[in-house]
Amino acid sequence: MPAVYFHCSDDKHVILDRAGAAMNLGEAREHAECLVRSYLMTPSVEDWRNWVLHVTDDLGDEIFDLPFVDVLGQMH
């Protein structure tokens, strides 16, 4: 299985996933949504509405992205 990485960013910040994880595309989509939900549910002063999770392969090519606001809309 290929390694995928889950990086998060907005216009001022970047959170890099340096470890990655071996999983298929379906697992990556599920993990991405769970990861975004965990950020949204963690008490914080951060406004997550402008954040995006970028899923990349081991070469750094983006596979897909998931805007936090898409998951936030599902939660309400």
Side-chain angles (χ1 to χ4, degrees), residues 11-32:
D11 58 340
K12 298 177 185 169
H13 308 92
V14 175
I15 302 172
L16 293 177
D17 173 8
R18 297 188 190 279
M23 61 183 71
N24 65 37
L25 182 58
E27 293 168 329
R29 289 189 185 282
E30 186 176 315
H31 183 74

Side-chain angles (χ1 to χ4, degrees), residues 48-64:
W48 295 109
R49 291 176 292 179
N50 293 322
W51 284 76
V52 178
L53 183 136
H54 304 273
V55 179
T56 63
D57 63 15
D58 55 353
L59 299 175
D61 294 327
E62 187 166 281
I63 301 169
F64 67 90

Side-chain angles (χ1 to χ4, degrees), residues 8-15 36-52 68-69 72 76:
C8 299
S9 66
D10 70 358
D11 58 340
K12 298 177 185 169
H13 308 92
V14 175
I15 302 172
V36 169
R37 284 181 187 276
S38 72
Y39 280 113
L40 293 172
M41 299 301 288
T42 301
S44 170
V45 297
E46 187 65 50
D47 180 2
W48 295 109
R49 291 176 292 179
N50 293 322
W51 284 76
V52 178
F68 280 39
V69 71
L72 187 60
H76 293 284

